[in-house]
């Protein structure tokens, strides 16, 4: 049992990584859609690259989206709207009309036969209300066939057969002009206007219900493919008809019911493929980003981001697979580039796209578009803390999406008019989603304790509380830190390191000197040194302890670990040479060198190595008297070569060529500081 516990303790980091991979694979596969996976990719208007394909079972041919849309449009266009004839209004109008007919004949016109006049007026009324009276509206054209509902009975009539209220005057005029009762026109007109009322109304609810019923009854299929019949031959062009047969076969194949044995087999396949993808990611990180591999917090962060993107895509796929492009998947490389580096961001993005390629429709098209977009993200997004850069990059990423999708559809459809405009809207929405990367990065910094360029920019402000305190307490050290920051930033730019990170690290690397500022030469205002009354060992201890004090202060101020790393490593395991030599004068060869060495660790990346070089060169340059080009060149070479010989950069990912480039920058900067000029001949 004891050996088991020892084994677990020694390998806890690796056990954690294995557990993390297992958990991530389980969550992804568990929520993967389960179903048969069609083994062929279907690309329209391209040659069929596989063997001759025969139908293994009878299946129906699905109608294309264009066919369904055309059928729906035709139904909507030809659908007859419903109008309702209100019988109560008609009866009341007729009753009122009948009671007023007796007043139609004035006393001066007794030559007319009252009975015939009443018959004429009633017939005119009945003709008017044969299909009813409606209000004037432009909802439908007058030649539209509508369904008129009179109680339980319905009949189809032309809309123009239902008189409009505004046409009442013309209708009466026409009826009277064609009768022998022209002299009674005003009386008849008064009678009709007094007693007629609109009684036919458009029934929107019934019309909508009827239309939806027709749309719901649209058949999704047209014809069938019989078992054993050839669907397509190898090399044959996938035209529209064959494309629809293949798509229908795929839909039928993937909708088949599973038995437990088949389901378990597919799950095993998914587990193996997803696990293999994550294994490749871990191997890449271990081989090329060992510092990240050793940090379980960073590994957790990377896997969490993959899980977040895959989970978001699965939610959208469950809702509607057509909306899969609305997911701003390029947030993943954007985020990882902000915290780590472009290569890791792109590699992780590709792995994530490959995993999603198992389940998305049109997987080849999806993977091509997303990988291209990921490459553009890595190439274009720089200095994320500048808001304008983010907007420009999002525009470029969205443009690449649009152009790539357009190219695919030109190949598949053979016409620009067949392209779905909805997809372009999805790409635009995805671009808008990318703008949320900045608040997302801020959240990640708080949750995972990481640091991005956005935070580095804030920390580089010399008006921050701790830097203002440094300027007041140890002004010489503050000035030294500014000079080192300038030298380090220029050096980092020269070799392609993170210039902003090394600049911020340089600003904070000596904050520990605030504890005992007068024991450091740059803060001494007189020629009398505080070390004159101390033993060399005590003086060395004070000098060395500024590193530990700095780490303590940085943690109290909650500075990120990446900045504290500069405080830890800026002296590596170098020797406090001056006080060591003083101790040798007292103890001779018995002086213990280990008492005069910084505890380390040594610089472990380019940025910390750059700071160590720049810090040593800038501090020692104060001792130069009457410097010239030759002295400065020799001075820089001597200091940095001594650090190389002392193996201070053994753990840093920095080459001899890059060290030579840094030397060149430091020589040039020192010459500018000392205002050296070319010596002219006398």
């Amino acid at each position: 049992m004891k050996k088991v516990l020892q084994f677990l303790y020694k390998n806890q980091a690796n056990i954690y990584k294995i557990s993390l991979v297992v958990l991530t694979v389980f969550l992804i596969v568990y929520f993967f859609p389960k179903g048969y996976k069609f083994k062929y990719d279907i690309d329209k208007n391209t040659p069929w690259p596989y063997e001759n394909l025969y139908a293994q079972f009878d299946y129906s041919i699905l109608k294309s989206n264009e066919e369904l849309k055309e059928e729906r449009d035709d139904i909507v266009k030809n659908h007859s709207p419903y109008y309702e004839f209100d019988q109560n209004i008609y009866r009341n109008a007729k009753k009122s009309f009948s009671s007023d007919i007796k007043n139609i004949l004035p006393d001066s016109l007794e030559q007319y036969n009252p009975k015939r006049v009443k018959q004429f007026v009633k017939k005119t009324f009945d003709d008017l209300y044969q299909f009813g009276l409606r209000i004037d509206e432009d909802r439908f054209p007058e030649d539209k066939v509508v369904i008129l509902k009179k109680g339980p009975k319905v009949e189809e009539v032309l809309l123009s057969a239902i008189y409009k209220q505004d046409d009442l005057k013309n209708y009466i005029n026409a009826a009277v002009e064609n009768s022998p009762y022209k002299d009674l026109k005003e009386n008849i007109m008064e009678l009709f206007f007094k007693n007629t009322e609109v009684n036919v109304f458009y029934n929107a609810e019934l019309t909508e219900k009827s239309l939806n019923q027709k749309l719901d009854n649209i058949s999704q299929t047209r014809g069938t493919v019989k078992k054993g019949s050839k669907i397509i031959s190898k090399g044959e062009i996938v035209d529209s008809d064959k494309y629809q047969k293949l798509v229908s076969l795929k839909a039928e194949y993937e909708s088949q019911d599973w038995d437990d044995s088949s389901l378990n087999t597919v799950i095993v396949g998914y587990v193996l493929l997803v696990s293999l993808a994550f294994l490749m990611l871990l191997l890449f990180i271990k081989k090329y980003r060992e510092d990240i591999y050793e940090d379980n917090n960073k590994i957790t962060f990377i896997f969490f981001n993959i899980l977040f993107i895959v989970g978001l895509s699965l939610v959208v796929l469950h809702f509607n697979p057509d909306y899969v492009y609305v997911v701003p998947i390029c947030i993943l490389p954007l985020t990882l580039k902000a915290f780590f580096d472009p290569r890791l961001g792109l590699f992780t993005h590709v792995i994530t796209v490959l995993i999603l390629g198992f389940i998305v429709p049109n997987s080849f098209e999806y993977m091509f578009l997303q990988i291209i977009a990921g490459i553009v993200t890595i190439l274009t997004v720089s200095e994320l803390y500048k808001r304008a850069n983010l907007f420009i990059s999002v525009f470029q990423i969205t443009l690449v999406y649009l152009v790539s999708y357009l190219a695919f559809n030109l190949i598949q459809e053979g016409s620009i008019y067949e392209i779905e405009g909805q997809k372009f809207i999805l790409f635009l929405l995805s671009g808008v989603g990318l703008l949320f990367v900045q608040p997302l990065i801020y959240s990640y910094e708080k949750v995972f304790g990481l640091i991005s360029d956005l935070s580095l920019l804030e920390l580089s402000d010399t008006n921050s509380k701790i830097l203002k305190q440094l300027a007041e307490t140890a002004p010489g050290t503050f000035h030294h830190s500014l000079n080192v920051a300038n030298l380090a930033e220029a050096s980092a730019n020269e070799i392609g390191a993170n210039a902003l990170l090394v600049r911020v690290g340089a600003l904070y690397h000596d904050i520990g000197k605030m504890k005992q500022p007068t024991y450091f030469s740059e803060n001494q205002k007189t020629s009398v040194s505080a070390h004159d009354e101390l033993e060399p060992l005590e003086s060395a201890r004070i000098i060395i302890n500024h590193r530990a004090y700095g780490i303590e202060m940085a943690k109290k101020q909650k500075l990120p670990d990446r900045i504290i790393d500069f405080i830890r490593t800026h002296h590596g395991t170098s020797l406090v040479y001056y006080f060591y030599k003083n101790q040798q004068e007292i103890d001779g060869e018995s002086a213990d060198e280990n008492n005069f060495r910084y505890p380390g660790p040594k610089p472990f990346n380019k940025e910390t190595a750059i700071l160590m070089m720049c810090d040593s060169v800038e501090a020692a340059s104060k001792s130069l008297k009457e410097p010239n080009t030759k002295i400065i060149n020799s001075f820089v070479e001597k200091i940095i070569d001594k650090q190389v010989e002392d193996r201070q950069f053994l753990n840093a990912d920095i080459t001899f060529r890059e060290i030579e480039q840094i030397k060149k920058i430091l020589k040039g900067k020192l010459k500018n500081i000392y205002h050296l000029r070319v010596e002219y001949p006398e």
Side-chain angles (χ1 to χ4, degrees):
M1 184 65 181
K2 184 177 180 181
K3 290 183 178 180
V4 173
L5 292 174
Q6 288 177 343
F7 174 81
L8 293 175
Y9 179 77
K10 290 180 180 178
N11 296 277
Q12 57 181 322
N14 290 327
I15 293 172
Y16 176 82
K17 292 180 182 67
I18 293 171
S19 303
L20 183 64
V21 171
V22 171
L23 177 62
T24 308
V25 170
F26 170 77
L27 289 174
I28 289 176
V29 174
Y30 181 81
F31 290 105
F32 262 8
K34 307 299 188 298
Y36 284 102
K37 184 69 177 176
F38 197 60
K39 65 179 180 178
Y40 303 112
D41 287 326
I42 307 171
D43 296 315
K44 198 173 181 181
N45 294 329
T46 59
W48 180 250
Y50 310 104
E51 70 276 4
N52 295 349
L53 186 61
Y54 296 88
Q56 297 178 348
F57 44 78
D58 293 344
Y59 70 93
S60 300
I61 302 173
L62 296 173
K63 294 177 182 177
S64 66
N65 291 333
E66 292 76 15
E67 289 175 316
L68 290 172
K69 183 178 183 303
E70 184 178 349
E71 195 167 338
R72 283 194 294 268
D73 291 345
D74 188 57
I75 288 175
V76 171
K77 180 181 178 181
N78 296 316
H79 179 64
S80 297
Y82 277 78
Y83 280 80
E84 191 149 8
F85 188 101
D86 193 317
Q87 298 277 17
N88 291 329
I89 294 177
Y90 166 69
R91 292 190 191 99
N92 291 335
K94 188 172 184 180
K95 183 178 180 182
S96 173
F97 189 86
S98 298
S99 64
D100 282 352
I101 286 180
K102 60 184 179 181
N103 300 323
I104 189 174
L105 295 175
D107 297 336
S108 57
L109 296 174
E110 296 179 353
Q111 71 271 24
Y112 291 108
N113 186 328
K115 184 177 180 181
R116 290 185 177 180
V117 172
K118 290 179 181 178
Q119 289 175 344
F120 165 75
V121 172
K122 285 183 177 180
K123 183 178 183 305
T124 304
F125 179 87
D126 290 338
D127 289 344
L128 174 66
Y129 273 99
Q130 180 183 359
F131 301 116
L133 189 65
R134 61 188 169 97
I135 61 174
D136 193 12
E137 59 181 0
D138 297 324
R139 193 186 303 272
F140 303 106
E142 290 296 309
D143 59 350
K144 180 78 173 177
V145 175
V146 301
I147 298 176
L148 185 63
K149 184 175 182 296
K150 290 184 176 181
K153 298 181 180 180
V154 293
E155 59 179 317
E156 290 186 347
V157 299
L158 286 176
L159 183 60
S160 57
I162 305 174
Y163 287 106
K164 294 186 291 186
Q165 191 176 27
D166 291 351
D167 291 337
L168 182 59
K169 184 176 180 180
N170 293 334
Y171 169 76
I172 297 171
N173 278 333
V176 173
E177 289 295 330
N178 293 322
S179 73
Y181 311 113
K182 295 179 182 179
D183 294 337
L184 299 176
K185 184 190 325 184
E186 290 185 5
N187 303 78
I188 295 173
M189 190 80 70
E190 181 183 353
L191 177 66
F192 271 84
F193 272 98
K194 180 181 177 183
N195 294 287
T196 56
E197 189 176 348
V198 170
N199 76 317
V200 175
F201 305 94
Y202 172 65
N203 192 326
E205 181 180 353
L206 192 58
T207 301
E208 189 72 19
K209 182 179 179 180
S210 173
L211 177 60
N212 289 336
Q213 188 175 5
K214 288 182 179 178
L215 293 176
D216 291 339
N217 290 333
I218 293 177
S219 173
Q220 301 294 310
T221 62
R222 54 167 177 81
T224 58
V225 176
K226 296 296 183 182
K227 180 180 179 180
S229 61
K230 183 189 289 186
I231 300 173
I232 192 169
S233 302
K234 183 176 181 179
E236 194 174 355
I237 298 297
V238 183
D239 58 20
S240 297
D241 183 59
K242 289 183 172 55
Y243 177 80
Q244 210 54 40
K245 288 182 179 179
L246 290 167
V247 169
S248 303
L249 176 63
K250 179 181 178 181
E252 183 71 22
Y253 187 82
E254 293 181 346
S255 66
Q256 293 183 24
D257 294 331
W258 291 77
D259 55 43
D260 292 339
S261 175
S262 298
L263 181 62
N264 292 334
T265 302
V266 171
I267 291 175
V268 170
Y270 275 142
V271 168
L272 290 175
L273 287 174
V274 176
S275 300
L276 184 62
F278 283 126
L279 177 62
M280 294 301 104
L281 177 60
L282 279 178
L283 289 176
F284 173 84
I285 296 174
K286 181 174 176 58
K287 185 174 179 61
Y288 297 106
R289 301 291 183 272
E290 192 170 354
D291 58 316
I292 297 176
Y293 182 82
E294 297 298 331
D295 191 333
N296 281 339
N297 181 54
K298 293 178 180 177
I299 294 293
T300 304
F301 172 72
I302 293 170
F303 276 72
F304 174 81
N305 274 275
I306 296 173
L307 199 58
F308 172 69
I309 293 298
V310 173
L312 192 60
S313 300
L314 287 172
V315 169
V316 173
L317 283 169
H318 179 74
F319 176 72
N320 190 334
D322 292 336
Y323 294 163
V324 68
Y325 285 110
V326 80
V327 179
I329 193 172
C330 287
I331 275 184
L332 180 61
L334 263 177
T335 304
L336 296 185
K337 183 181 178 182
F339 287 108
F340 304 120
D341 63 88
R343 286 180 65 188
L344 178 58
L346 181 59
F347 195 89
T348 307
H349 175 73
V350 171
I351 291 294
T352 306
V353 171
L354 290 176
I355 292 173
L356 289 172
F358 300 148
I359 55 172
V360 296
N362 300 321
S363 57
F364 176 75
E365 175 186 309
Y366 176 85
M367 288 190 292
F368 182 89
L369 262 64
Q370 298 294 10
I371 290 174
I372 289 294
I375 293 172
V376 172
T377 302
I378 294 299
L379 293 177
T380 59
V381 178
S382 59
E383 298 179 322
L384 191 59
Y385 55 86
K386 295 181 180 178
R387 287 173 293 180
N389 287 357
L390 179 61
F391 280 97
I392 293 171
S393 296
V394 167
F395 171 77
Q396 293 171 326
I397 294 165
T398 306
L399 182 62
V400 166
Y401 269 129
L402 297 176
V403 172
S404 301
Y405 177 74
L406 177 63
F408 261 100
N409 276 264
L410 289 176
I411 294 171
Q412 295 173 354
E413 303 295 340
S415 170
I416 196 171
Y417 301 106
E418 302 295 329
I419 295 174
E420 296 181 39
Q422 176 187 346
K423 285 289 196 304
F424 290 98
I425 298 175
L426 296 179
F427 291 132
L428 293 175
L429 292 175
S430 176
V432 173
L434 289 176
L435 297 176
F436 289 92
V437 70
Q438 287 188 333
L440 190 63
I441 287 174
Y442 178 78
S443 301
Y444 283 152
E445 287 179 331
K446 301 303 179 185
V447 174
F448 291 93
L450 300 173
I451 184 170
S452 68
D453 286 351
L454 296 171
S455 293
L456 289 175
L457 186 65
E458 294 176 0
L459 291 171
S460 67
D461 185 4
T462 54
N463 287 317
S464 65
K465 180 180 177 181
I466 192 167
L467 290 182
K468 287 181 73 174
Q469 186 180 352
L470 177 64
E472 294 171 2
T473 307
T477 299
F478 178 72
H479 186 262
H480 158 73
S481 298
L482 287 176
N483 288 339
V484 174
N486 292 331
L487 294 174
E489 183 177 22
S491 301
N493 282 324
E494 182 67 19
I495 67 170
N498 190 330
L500 184 57
L501 175 63
V502 75
R503 178 177 181 82
V504 175
L507 289 174
Y508 291 89
H509 79 283
D510 268 345
I511 58 175
K513 291 181 179 181
M514 285 192 287
K515 180 116 181 188
Q516 295 173 301
T518 57
Y519 284 91
F520 299 91
S521 58
E522 66 266 24
N523 298 313
Q524 293 170 359
K525 299 179 181 179
T526 65
S527 58
V528 179
S529 172
H531 292 284
D532 292 344
E533 298 179 359
L534 299 177
E535 293 294 327
L537 184 60
E538 182 64 23
S539 295
R541 188 176 293 113
I542 292 172
I543 298 299
I544 292 171
N545 282 345
H546 87 274
R547 169 194 165 278
Y549 296 147
I551 294 171
E552 183 182 348
M553 291 179 184
K555 287 183 176 179
K556 285 183 179 179
Q557 295 294 324
K558 297 183 179 179
L559 292 181
D561 286 340
R562 290 180 76 184
I563 302 305
I564 297 176
D565 286 339
F566 287 94
I567 303 174
R568 288 191 181 101
T569 62
H570 73 279
H571 285 295
T573 58
S574 60
L575 185 67
V576 185
Y577 190 75
Y578 177 81
F579 294 111
Y580 174 64
K581 281 299 180 182
N582 289 347
Q583 189 67 39
Q584 278 189 325
E585 292 177 3
I586 299 172
D587 297 339
E589 295 301 323
S590 63
D592 188 356
E593 184 179 294
N594 292 327
N595 293 330
F596 294 86
R597 281 196 178 276
Y598 284 92
K602 295 177 181 179
F604 53 83
N605 56 32
K606 290 180 182 179
E607 288 77 18
T608 51
I610 289 170
L611 178 61
M612 185 175 188
M613 290 184 241
C614 296
D615 180 45
S616 301
V617 168
E618 202 285 330
S621 68
K622 298 295 189 294
S623 64
L624 291 176
K625 297 177 181 179
E626 299 181 2
N628 55 40
T629 299
K630 183 177 180 180
I631 291 174
I632 288 177
N633 290 345
S634 175
F635 165 78
V636 172
E637 292 284 346
K638 179 181 177 182
I639 289 179
I640 296 181
D641 286 347
K642 180 69 173 65
Q643 292 174 335
V644 173
E645 290 171 11
D646 203 22
R647 301 167 70 84
Q648 294 298 323
F649 308 130
L650 189 64
N651 299 328
D653 181 23
I654 192 166
T655 65
F656 284 115
R657 181 175 180 274
E658 289 170 337
I659 291 175
E660 290 301 318
Q661 289 176 290
I662 293 170
K663 287 179 181 179
K664 180 181 176 182
I665 291 296
L666 294 178
K667 291 171 186 176
K669 290 291 183 181
L670 287 179
K671 290 171 188 176
N672 290 337
I673 290 172
Y674 288 103
H675 307 291
L676 298 185
R677 298 182 181 180
V678 177
E679 296 182 7
Y680 292 96
E682 295 181 359

